[in-house]
Amino acid sequence: MAPRDYQSEKEKCKKFLQEFYTDDEFGKKQFKYGSQLVKLAHREQVALYIDLDDVAEEDPELVDSICENTRRYTNLFADAVQELLPEYKEKEVVNKDTLDVYIEHRLMMEQRTHDPSETRDPRNQYPPELMRRFELYFKSPSSAKALVVRDVKADSIGKLVTVRGIVTRVTEVKPMMVVATYTCDQCGAETYQPIQSPTFMPLIMCPSRECQTNRSGGRLYLQTRGSKFVKFQELKIQEHSDQVPVGNIPRSMTVFVRGENTRLSQPGDHISITGVFLPMLRTGFRQVVQGLLSETYLETHRLVKMNKTEDDEMGTEELTEDELKLITEEDFYEKLAASIAPEIYGHEDVKKALLLLLVGGVDHSPRGMKIRGNINICLMGDPGVAKSQLLSYIDRLAPRSQYTTGRGSSGVGLTAAVMKDPVTGEMTLEGGALVLADQGICCIDEFDKMMDSDRTAIHEVMEQQTISIAKAGIMTTLNARCSILAAANPAYGRYNHKTIGRAH
């Protein structure tokens, strides 16, 4: 394979960003990326998403190259955007931040002190990561098939992949250093260190020409104000239960999310992530311990919430005219109720109750007192009357839901457990089934088989819609605004019509 000329590839990227357009309904040319470049130049937009379907229209070979070597092409596109921005700048940016002022002062200092003819150490020059004030991401082509977590293997390393799963853990958003800036205590020169991996070795000795010539051995000190940080969050995704082969346990994957993609998902969300599959780089002693094996992670480019049952993305579209006509029909309530679990005959009243549970009521707050609008239902009946079938149907139908059984869940598993965070090492709360089903439905089967101590953990959720916790030095209240749908068998195996409901 002949070596690629990346300079010509960069020119292709520039040409695409400048010349790609779509026709609107009036036949006018709309320069999709040109208008976004203007916003980037004026700091009105931070993230630039490049749709690979658009690139495929211009240059299909470029799409294959991007999918095969995503990290390199992200930098090429980012460099192309950086070079194009001055052409699209129409006005001066008014609200400057700390980094702008810092760089401006540095450039003024340089013009005064440095001789333009002398060559400088590359570490003393501004790295492109420091100068970029935007983020660039790729949106995978529509022809690309979404993979299951267990299908992402070694041949996917370095490539753009799309993975689907359910979010199990989300860390809080923290600043992550991208460029470290150091100042020398002898000559005052600044040194920059771009950081690519989660860990880095700080520079100690000054590499500037002045220190090297005088052999003064200047020490470097880290300057936090001059360094650049981005938002960073770590997710853990797990494959869907219906994608797990028989006899296997669900696989999980670590996902790194940066910048504008953070805070887009909560634990319990079904998501589709497009990103680059990469090995985790270790340095020093950890690398020796690790040996030849390597941990992997997915670096996110695009994160989208998915619909649970179908394979489409969750939208917030308005109702169409046909749907509005259907709503105004008289027997609409009966039709909707009949369409819940249509494979089960009868049970009209139960299905109507389940429909009301799905829709929910309205929360009221008269004079500061909160009155919940959610409905909780307990289905009680003899064995074999399709209680579990109705529960599993509601679990599949609701956009946000959790399914559990009475024997297989403890009070901690339903509410929240205190865990040690593997990243930071501090104690954190891991939400249980009721927290994961926040603003959704929690289905509990075999409700009568639960222990009494575990059942009391649900009482606060059913009435106050919160979970109060005081464990391991963590005092907090978690939201659990969920409806509870429980199914139970009556005492002594059969339903006795002569006794009252509570006796069952």
Side-chain angles (χ1 to χ4, degrees), residues 42 55 82 99 109 178 188 243 298 450:
H42 297 152
V55 183
Q82 186 70 29
L99 210 56
M109 285 277 290
V178 182
Q243 294 167 339
L298 193 71
M450 276 179 87

mmCIF file of all heavy atoms in Angstrom, residues 42 55 82 99 109 178 188 243 298 450:
data_model
loop_
_atom_site.group_PDB
_atom_site.id
_atom_site.type_symbol
_atom_site.label_atom_id
_atom_site.label_comp_id
_atom_site.label_asym_id
_atom_site.label_seq_id
_atom_site.Cartn_x
_atom_site.Cartn_y
_atom_site.Cartn_z
ATOM 1 N N HIS A 42 -17.374 33.113 15.115
ATOM 2 C CA HIS A 42 -17.928 34.123 16.041
ATOM 3 C C HIS A 42 -18.189 33.555 17.419
ATOM 4 O O HIS A 42 -18.845 34.190 18.236
ATOM 5 C CB HIS A 42 -19.221 34.703 15.459
ATOM 6 C CG HIS A 42 -19.002 35.423 14.168
ATOM 7 N ND1 HIS A 42 -19.979 35.527 13.210
ATOM 8 C CD2 HIS A 42 -17.909 36.048 13.664
ATOM 9 C CE1 HIS A 42 -19.493 36.190 12.175
ATOM 10 N NE2 HIS A 42 -18.241 36.524 12.433
ATOM 11 N N VAL A 55 -20.102 13.614 3.001
ATOM 12 C CA VAL A 55 -18.766 13.408 2.428
ATOM 13 C C VAL A 55 -18.835 12.355 1.322
ATOM 14 O O VAL A 55 -18.158 12.464 0.301
ATOM 15 C CB VAL A 55 -17.757 12.976 3.533
ATOM 16 C CG1 VAL A 55 -16.348 12.831 2.970
ATOM 17 C CG2 VAL A 55 -17.748 13.978 4.677
ATOM 18 N N GLN A 82 -9.437 25.222 11.235
ATOM 19 C CA GLN A 82 -8.655 26.294 11.867
ATOM 20 C C GLN A 82 -8.096 27.262 10.823
ATOM 21 O O GLN A 82 -8.079 28.479 11.030
ATOM 22 C CB GLN A 82 -7.505 25.666 12.677
ATOM 23 C CG GLN A 82 -6.695 26.646 13.493
ATOM 24 C CD GLN A 82 -7.484 27.213 14.675
ATOM 25 O OE1 GLN A 82 -8.365 26.563 15.209
ATOM 26 N NE2 GLN A 82 -7.178 28.438 15.070
ATOM 27 N N LEU A 99 -8.287 32.393 28.381
ATOM 28 C CA LEU A 99 -7.283 31.857 27.463
ATOM 29 C C LEU A 99 -6.973 32.831 26.323
ATOM 30 O O LEU A 99 -5.833 32.951 25.888
ATOM 31 C CB LEU A 99 -7.775 30.506 26.910
ATOM 32 C CG LEU A 99 -6.706 29.492 26.545
ATOM 33 C CD1 LEU A 99 -5.801 29.192 27.722
ATOM 34 C CD2 LEU A 99 -7.329 28.201 26.053
ATOM 35 N N MET A 109 4.319 39.777 24.046
ATOM 36 C CA MET A 109 5.619 39.595 24.707
ATOM 37 C C MET A 109 6.643 39.062 23.708
ATOM 38 O O MET A 109 7.793 39.492 23.675
ATOM 39 C CB MET A 109 5.487 38.599 25.865
ATOM 40 C CG MET A 109 4.810 39.163 27.085
ATOM 41 S SD MET A 109 5.953 40.082 28.129
ATOM 42 C CE MET A 109 6.974 38.767 28.765
ATOM 43 N N VAL A 178 -5.883 19.091 28.489
ATOM 44 C CA VAL A 178 -5.568 18.741 27.104
ATOM 45 C C VAL A 178 -4.181 19.253 26.737
ATOM 46 O O VAL A 178 -3.417 18.590 26.052
ATOM 47 C CB VAL A 178 -6.620 19.345 26.138
ATOM 48 C CG1 VAL A 178 -6.344 18.947 24.711
ATOM 49 C CG2 VAL A 178 -8.005 18.926 26.538
ATOM 50 N N GLY A 188 12.060 32.324 32.014
ATOM 51 C CA GLY A 188 10.678 32.803 31.850
ATOM 52 C C GLY A 188 9.991 32.311 30.595
ATOM 53 O O GLY A 188 8.857 32.693 30.315
ATOM 54 N N GLN A 243 -29.822 -9.278 23.408
ATOM 55 C CA GLN A 243 -28.687 -9.532 22.518
ATOM 56 C C GLN A 243 -27.679 -10.498 23.136
ATOM 57 O O GLN A 243 -26.676 -10.813 22.520
ATOM 58 C CB GLN A 243 -27.974 -8.203 22.204
ATOM 59 C CG GLN A 243 -28.831 -7.249 21.401
ATOM 60 C CD GLN A 243 -28.253 -5.846 21.369
ATOM 61 O OE1 GLN A 243 -27.445 -5.482 22.223
ATOM 62 N NE2 GLN A 243 -28.664 -5.053 20.403
ATOM 63 N N LEU A 298 -14.036 3.415 24.221
ATOM 64 C CA LEU A 298 -14.619 4.034 23.033
ATOM 65 C C LEU A 298 -14.601 5.548 23.231
ATOM 66 O O LEU A 298 -15.146 6.045 24.218
ATOM 67 C CB LEU A 298 -16.063 3.539 22.845
ATOM 68 C CG LEU A 298 -16.714 3.833 21.498
ATOM 69 C CD1 LEU A 298 -16.102 2.973 20.408
ATOM 70 C CD2 LEU A 298 -18.211 3.545 21.565
ATOM 71 N N MET A 450 -41.573 -11.067 48.211
ATOM 72 C CA MET A 450 -40.541 -10.171 48.745
ATOM 73 C C MET A 450 -40.533 -10.218 50.263
ATOM 74 O O MET A 450 -41.566 -10.422 50.903
ATOM 75 C CB MET A 450 -40.815 -8.723 48.321
ATOM 76 C CG MET A 450 -40.293 -8.379 46.964
ATOM 77 S SD MET A 450 -40.703 -6.696 46.562
ATOM 78 C CE MET A 450 -39.324 -5.862 47.284
#
